[in-house]
Every structure is written in structure tokens, then in C-alpha cells.
Amino acid sequence: MPVSEVMHTVEGQVSYVTLNRPEVLNALTPAQRDLVIELLTQASADPDVRAVVLTGTGRGFCAGADLRGAPGTVAPGDVARTIRLGAQRLVAAVLDCEKPVIAAVNGTAAGLGAHLALACDLVLAAESARFIEVFVRRGLVPDGGGAYLLPRLIGPQRAKELMFFGDALTAREAERLGLVNRVVDDEELAKTARAWAERLATGPTRALALTKQLVNASLDSDRATAFAAEAAAQEINMTTEDAREGVASFVERRSPEYRGR
């Protein structure tokens, strides 16, 4: 796979991952998918990376999996295995990334591409962006964790409406439903994503990672489990330099200087 099909840079402690197959609206090949997973894994482990921005080039954020070249017939069990090791592994890499991940949705986000965006911690969308649960149009069941993500974001009835009809949502409609944090003019998307990422990159990185874990787990937990996880996270976080700096800066009446550790 040409490296240019997934562009990657690290600037100011922010990892920028850009899908770069604009001629097919950034439909993901298996090789691209695996590279994105690898970059997210690296971001988790790298202390010099404190936020991630995921975006695309051209008119598409990601049109889903590139189905061209897929086999016409498959053996029993092959589909489930492919989904587990492919689309689900990609979405899990975003959910499990220990750094905040921002989706900068520059255009069409369809199928797996929509779920890739919605798995991110924060979603910025350009005015021209569209979100499409395209699976029903192809006679398919949603994959990439869609039936897990959407009900948790907007409730089961809204999720079923999107998945049953497969209608395209404008960026503003997605914002109204709660799928998008903010909609900006197309020409402001990259600037806004950079500003948000740089702000996150100056924050208490370990506290943000623990907060992400607590929030992501909360909808699958009962109150006792969630409260226990919260107490454990507080215990862990108080061992970090950033927690000590946060308390010290409050006592000393100054702005904190977090180092991400």
C-alpha cells in the first residue's frame, strides 16, 4: 500500500491521521485500516503524543470499507471473522486509544466511515459533511459497532430510524441529534480541529485517558460498578505528576502546566 494513502504527521504533540484516497471518498482498504489501527496504537503508547486528529482528503471523510475485490462467496464463519478482525478492531482501536481522538469530518461519512467518526471522543463536522447508515441500501446488517454506538448516542428509536431507512443526515441534522459536537464552515474545519487538539494536548493526559475510560464504560455498568471504577481511577490519577501540578497550581493561584504524565 502506498504510504500516501494514509498520511501521518505529529505536530505539537498531536498525531494527525489523514485518509488519502479522495477518488473513492476515502473508502478503506484492509491495508489502510490496519495502518490506522497501528497509528492509534502508537499514539496510545507514545508519551510525546497527547491527542489525535482523524480526517480525510477531498469530498469524503470515509465512504466505508472498500468492497471492490471482495470475494463473491465465502465459507461459513469467514464473514464473522472478517468483521471481528476488521471493522470491529478499527472502531475498538479508536474507543481504546488512551489519547483523545477528534474526528474532523470533512465530507461524506458512510457505513463504517460513519461509525469510525462516531467512535471518536469529539466530532467536528464541516457544513458539507453527510452521515449515512448505508448498509440497508445494500441489504446488509450494520457493522463496525454501529448497533452498539448509535443507541448509546441518540437512543434506540432514532438509531433504528437511521439504520432502517439509510437516509443521509446533513451535518446540522447530525448536530441536532447529538452525533456531532460542532458544525463549522468547510474552510474552518482544519483550523478548529487543530485548535481543539492543541488544547487537549496541553491538558492532563492521564486524567483525560481515565475520564475517557470511565465515560465509555458507564453505559454498560450499573451504579455500583461505575462508582467503584470512578474511585479506582481517582486513586490511580493521584499518583501522576499532572494531578500534583493541578492541585499545586490551585493552591498557588496560577495556571497549571501539565506535562502529560
Side-chain angles (χ1 to χ4, degrees):
M1 183 195 71
V3 174
S4 61
E5 291 188 357
V6 178
M7 300 187 296
H8 178 240
T9 60
V10 177
E11 304 171 30
Q13 297 188 298
V14 178
S15 174
Y16 293 91
V17 179
T18 305
L19 304 179
N20 188 36
R21 297 178 72 217
E23 69 280 4
V24 290
L25 299 181
N26 295 313
L28 275 174
T29 65
Q32 279 182 293
R33 177 200 65 216
D34 290 347
L35 181 52
V36 172
I37 292 170
E38 180 182 342
L39 292 171
L40 289 166
T41 302
Q42 290 175 3
S44 281
D46 188 347
D48 292 327
V49 171
R50 296 171 65 184
V52 179
V53 173
L54 183 60
T55 192
T57 57
R59 297 183 299 108
F61 171 75
C62 177
D66 191 339
L67 299 179
R68 293 176 300 176
T73 59
V74 292
D78 282 356
V79 172
R81 185 181 308 106
T82 298
I83 294 299
R84 286 197 307 271
L85 299 179
Q88 290 178 354
R89 192 163 62 97
L90 174 63
V91 169
V94 178
L95 293 170
D96 295 339
C97 183
E98 295 179 26
K99 309 299 166 61
V101 183
I102 298 172
V105 183
N106 53 295
T108 299
L112 175 59
H115 301 162
L116 177 61
L118 298 179
C120 292
D121 302 301
L122 299 170
V123 183
L124 291 169
E127 285 279 2
S128 63
R130 298 290 183 272
F131 297 82
I132 312 171
E133 287 295 317
V134 74
F135 300 95
V136 70
R137 300 185 185 182
R138 310 287 181 259
L140 301 175
V141 173
D143 65 25
Y148 174 87
L149 291 168
L150 274 173
R152 285 163 171 76
L153 292 168
I154 59 175
Q157 275 72 32
R158 290 288 193 183
K160 290 172 188 174
E161 179 182 347
L162 296 181
M163 291 179 166
F164 286 2
F165 292 115
D167 294 334
L169 279 181
T170 66
R172 291 294 178 186
E173 289 169 334
E175 182 184 38
R176 178 178 57 81
L177 288 175
L179 294 172
V180 167
N181 291 91
R182 188 172 301 177
V183 178
V184 297
D185 292 339
D186 285 36
E187 58 271 19
E188 293 294 314
L189 180 65
K191 178 182 176 181
T192 304
R194 181 176 296 273
W196 281 29
E198 289 176 350
R199 183 176 177 185
L200 290 169
T202 63
T205 307
R206 297 313 305 160
L208 292 175
L210 290 164
T211 301
K212 174 175 179 172
Q213 291 173 15
L214 288 174
V215 173
N216 285 354
S218 66
L219 295 174
D220 298 321
S221 303
D222 56 47
R223 185 181 67 184
T225 301
F227 277 24
E230 177 187 277
Q234 289 284 12
E235 182 78 25
I236 293 167
N237 190 63
M238 288 308 296
T239 67
T240 67
E241 291 182 24
D242 281 349
R244 292 192 290 272
E245 166 63 9
V247 173
S249 66
F250 173 76
V251 172
E252 297 166 11
R253 298 178 181 274
R254 60 175 174 79
S255 297
E257 294 183 10
Y258 297 122
R259 300 183 180 278
R261 53 180 184 264

